[in-house]
Amino acid sequence: MTAWDGFQAFATTPVAAPPPPGAPPRGLEERLAYHSRFVTVRTPAIDTLAKNVRTVMILGRHQTVTARPSLIVTGPAGAGKTTALLQVGRACHLAHTRRHGAAAAAGQVPVAYVLVPPAASAKTLATEFARYLGIPVASGMSQAQITNAVCHTYTSAGVQLVMIDEVHRLNPRTTTGAQSADLIKDLTERIGATFVYAGIDVTATPLFTGVRGAQLAGRASLIDCAAFPARLGDEEPFHDLVNAMESALDLRHHRPGALTKLAPYLHERTAGRIGSLARLIRQAAITALIDGTERITKTTLDAIRLDHLAEQHYRPHTRPRSRSTSTP
């Protein structure tokens, strides 16, 4: 995904979808593969990010003097930040292809996706930008030379949207972190693209501190990708999320509504994190296919070990054992 060929393949591969009504039954291997990939539910975070990205791209389209406005997707681990980022990137890529036609868009790269490496220096980060487009980087090249090559190539390729993930790894309080933050600022001013960042709870990190943090905070709008609440006023967002995932299952004996009835348990089990919920349902579906039951029950779900974060949060309710009393 962090190289153009990989991202292009992701963006153009048809998304996983349940079989349409009346379609012939799919085989076991096909259904195992389907539940491994599974569907991506259109969440409020994805909708909000898509709307804001489109607006900010239009807002900055003719801004050439200073850096364009940007966006930061923040939230706890497992809340679906990367998924939201990639889905919006896919939509931008496909929209560009539809607008210009496949032949005209063949030599263009509308979207770039870069991961911030751990403890990244400015040169290391610049090299990641270069690697995405296959820009040759010789061992003797300086950071400035790599940066110049990146800016030239990204501009020539027509990059419109740059997505930078794991941005919480940047720490402007350290020398290398400050240099990396300066590099990103330089890129935003030299590449005619909209920048969107994603990271874990970025407002609690040093990213917004000091002069560099103030510059970023003055240009970027925050989009909170929080865990799903069980209730939000009169709405039940988590219940709706479970219902959407359940309706996408391809299990022959699963009772519709069985998972939705377990929404309170599933919320407690996953703390409302979409990443943990998706893993739990996918793993339960694969288990049901392998053991031949073809349905998901609470017993199936209880037997699954989830990610450590979810397991630490979950404390199953146990009924206290009644004490027998005897008369002396």
Side-chain angles (χ1 to χ4, degrees):
M1 205 74 75
T2 55
W4 166 236
D5 289 346
F7 184 86
Q8 186 180 37
F10 158 76
T12 55
T13 299
V15 297
R26 299 194 284 195
L28 176 62
E29 287 303 322
E30 190 177 2
R31 290 186 296 141
L32 284 171
Y34 165 69
H35 287 101
S36 176
R37 292 178 61 199
F38 209 43
V39 297
T40 299
V41 176
R42 188 83 182 185
T43 64
I46 294 176
D47 288 336
T48 301
L49 181 59
K51 184 190 301 182
N52 278 272
V53 165
R54 185 164 182 257
T55 303
V56 169
M57 287 179 74
I58 295 172
L59 180 65
R61 185 173 293 165
H62 302 291
Q63 187 171 328
T64 56
V65 178
T66 59
R68 290 162 171 76
S70 57
L71 297 167
I72 296 180
V73 185
T74 184
K81 298 179 298 300
T82 296
T83 297
L85 202 64
L86 291 175
Q87 290 307 311
V88 170
R90 180 209 292 269
C92 181
H93 174 89
L94 295 177
H96 178 83
T97 303
R98 285 193 302 270
R99 191 161 52 245
H100 297 281
Q108 298 178 325
V109 181
V111 180
Y113 177 69
V114 177
L115 284 178
V116 176
S121 66
K123 186 174 182 178
T124 304
L125 185 55
T127 302
E128 287 298 303
F129 276 88
R131 188 171 67 83
Y132 181 81
L133 283 187
I135 302 169
V137 176
S139 58
M141 290 177 69
S142 67
Q143 177 206 319
Q145 289 172 320
I146 300 171
T147 302
N148 288 338
V150 165
C151 293
H152 172 75
T153 309
Y154 274 54
T155 301
S156 300
V159 176
Q160 301 170 12
L161 178 65
V162 177
M163 305 183 300
I164 304 178
D165 208 349
E166 306 288 351
V167 74
H168 57 271
R169 291 174 173 174
L170 290 177
N171 183 1
R173 291 176 180 170
T174 66
T175 301
T176 55
Q179 291 170 350
S180 297
D182 286 343
L183 169 68
I184 290 179
K185 179 178 178 293
D186 188 27
L187 294 176
T188 62
E189 293 173 348
R190 296 176 60 184
I191 298 173
T194 295
F195 281 66
V196 180
Y197 313 92
I200 298 173
D201 296 329
V202 295
T203 54
T205 70
L207 199 61
F208 282 163
T209 59
V211 175
R212 293 175 177 86
Q215 286 180 323
L216 179 61
R219 293 173 174 172
S221 302
L222 279 179
I223 294 178
D224 193 6
C225 193
F228 278 67
R231 296 195 68 87
L232 188 63
D234 295 332
E235 299 179 347
E236 298 180 78
F238 190 79
H239 179 279
D240 296 341
L241 178 63
V242 174
N243 183 57
M245 289 189 179
E246 183 175 29
S247 64
L249 291 172
D250 190 5
L251 299 173
R252 290 171 186 169
H253 304 308
H254 183 78
R255 257 188 357 265
L259 276 185
T260 308
K261 288 179 182 176
L262 293 173
Y265 158 78
L266 291 169
H267 191 273
E268 191 175 7
R269 185 83 195 272
T270 63
R273 286 188 290 267
I274 188 171
S276 299
L277 177 68
R279 174 174 172 176
L280 180 59
I281 292 177
R282 287 164 55 219
Q283 201 164 330
I286 289 171
T287 300
L289 286 168
I290 292 172
D291 65 20
T293 58
E294 297 264 353
R295 62 176 173 267
I296 299 176
T297 64
K298 187 172 182 295
T299 302
T300 314
L301 297 165
D302 278 338
I304 291 172
R305 295 293 296 175
L306 261 180
D307 56 275
H308 185 59
L309 194 63
E311 294 293 350
Q312 277 188 313
H313 167 83
Y314 179 59
R315 294 289 181 271
H317 296 293
T318 54
R319 185 175 297 174
R321 184 181 298 174
S322 59
R323 295 181 179 179
S324 59
T325 56
S326 57
T327 305

